[in-house]
Amino acid sequence: MTANPVRIEADYLIETPVDPRLAAETMAGEQSSGTFVAVPGETPELKARAAARVESLELLDAASAPSLPVARPINPDGPWHRARVTLSWPLDNIGASLPNLVTAIAGNLWELRQLTGLRLLDLRLPLAFASAYPGPKFGVAGTRELTGVNGRPLIGTIIKPSIGLSPAETAALVAELCEAGIDFIKDDELQSDGAYCPFDQRVRAVMRVVNDHANRAGKKVMIAFNVTGEIDQMRRRHDLVLGEGGTCVMASINSVGLAGMVELGRHTQLPVHAHRNGWGALNRHPALGWDYTAWHKLWRLAGADHMHVNGIGNKFSETDDSVVTSAKAALTPMFAHKPCIAMPVFSSGQTPAQALPTWRALGSTDLIFAAGGGILAHPDGPAAGVSDLRAAWDAAIAGDAAIAGKP
Ligand SMILES: O=C(COP(=O)(O)O)[C@H](O)[C@H](O)COP(=O)(O)O
Ligand SMILES: [Mg+2]
């Protein structure tokens, strides 16, 4: 963890057909006191107080063609320089406000015609942000305490079919999974409060079997109920889950937005499971959008206890290196006195085959490993899916301990 700066700092990859220094200064100007032309009120004193600054610029290899289209291109024949740039802003421009932070560091600059590529790589925040926001209330330690799982990942699944089951059918599947020894189950992000599986009925039916199982077996399975909705709905749904003895709520963070997550983070008495669906639109083009390292910090501060990171060998389009970088980022402290660690959630096409490579790449058991099809489509049934996955993780950890000569 680097020390927290006095000013807000953001690192970018830029691609530009103009002098990169000029492009970086245009970004700084547009995102603080400047505009496309000098205006009389932008005095040296005002700039000293409010202007964003270019803190550093490192030239990289040039691109052979512009990555993004531009109407009325500048220097249409290139070259398209690439550089890594750090900008900084005075905290007083916006105060410790996450929504306004996004406008400052990730607002109009995506649209500048001086840029044919722009990616926000990382951000560092002054300590005032740690005081202003809840951060995760449970994180890894709280999640382990609620589930009683230590020394290994939480083995989880996603109810599948994602949508279409009734509350009673969902509860029957949950009962089977509880018997099989699962640690964690979540609603799919597509399951919310539909006509044939209303939220309240689903929570009551599922918690009846979870509580029965806990009373008999002494193990309360954590169920992440999808509370995604408008703010009042999310509060009410959270309260219902809490009242029924549930131990987790889930939100689709791009859908509820930062203000929604902050409010849920402040209100919650349960871990918040943050589903990142929609993330591909912000990340998939390498010259546009956000690196997870920068983006996920917003949600951790807002209160995410669990953050989705995709999975190794996933069914989507992301590389394994990128997945592992994201998971390590979630486990890296944001502030020395308030680390805001979120438990990474590996999910998307996961099976026992990914246990060993995940363990070796991450070097930590502080994760939720969630397999939907990987458990529920097991040829011998979901119980065999759970035990195979658990065995794969136990073998991965024990095998490497044996190689290292540890007990
Ligand atoms: O949305 C996701 C990932 O998030 P989440 O796992 O939380 O839903 C995937 O589409 C599946 O649901 C995972 O299921 P599978 O393991 O069958 O790919
Ligand atoms: Mg899903």
Side-chain angles (χ1 to χ4, degrees), residues 8-12 27 30-32 87 89 94 97-112 115 118-123 258 282 288-291 294-295 298:
I8 295 161
E9 292 182 2
D11 305 329
Y12 301 89
M27 291 165 64
E30 282 286 342
Q31 293 306 117
S32 59
L87 303 186
W89 289 257
I94 56 169
S97 161
L98 281 177
N100 292 299
L101 172 73
V102 174
T103 304
I105 67 171
N108 279 346
L109 40 64
W110 302 117
E111 301 189 54
L112 289 173
L115 300 175
L118 176 66
R119 192 164 173 94
L120 177 39
L121 303 174
D122 201 357
L123 69 100
L258 264 180
L282 302 173
L288 181 65
W290 298 66
D291 268 9
W295 180 81
L298 305 172

Side-chain angles (χ1 to χ4, degrees), residues 157-161 165-188 197 202-214 216 219-225 375-376 382-383 386:
T157 192
I158 307 102
I159 297 290
K160 303 274 171 181
L165 298 177
S166 67
E169 289 166 335
T170 306
L173 182 54
V174 168
E176 189 177 354
L177 289 160
C178 289
E179 288 305 322
I182 199 133
D183 305 314
F184 175 91
I185 304 175
K186 58 179 284 300
D187 282 335
D188 190 79
C197 199
R202 182 168 77 254
V203 170
R204 292 197 172 101
V206 167
M207 284 315 300
R208 204 171 301 127
V209 302
V210 169
N211 289 330
D212 279 356
H213 180 262
R216 273 186 290 109
K219 175 184 170 80
K220 181 165 267 190
V221 176
M222 178 175 275
I223 314 283
F225 289 106
I375 284 180
L376 298 168
V386 174

Side-chain angles (χ1 to χ4, degrees), residues 158 160 186 188-189 275 308 315-316 347-350 370-374:
I158 307 102
K160 303 274 171 181
K186 58 179 284 300
D188 190 79
E189 75 280 6
H275 199 295
H308 273 244
K315 68 184 181 187
F316 297 146
S347 183
S348 168
Q350 299 300 284

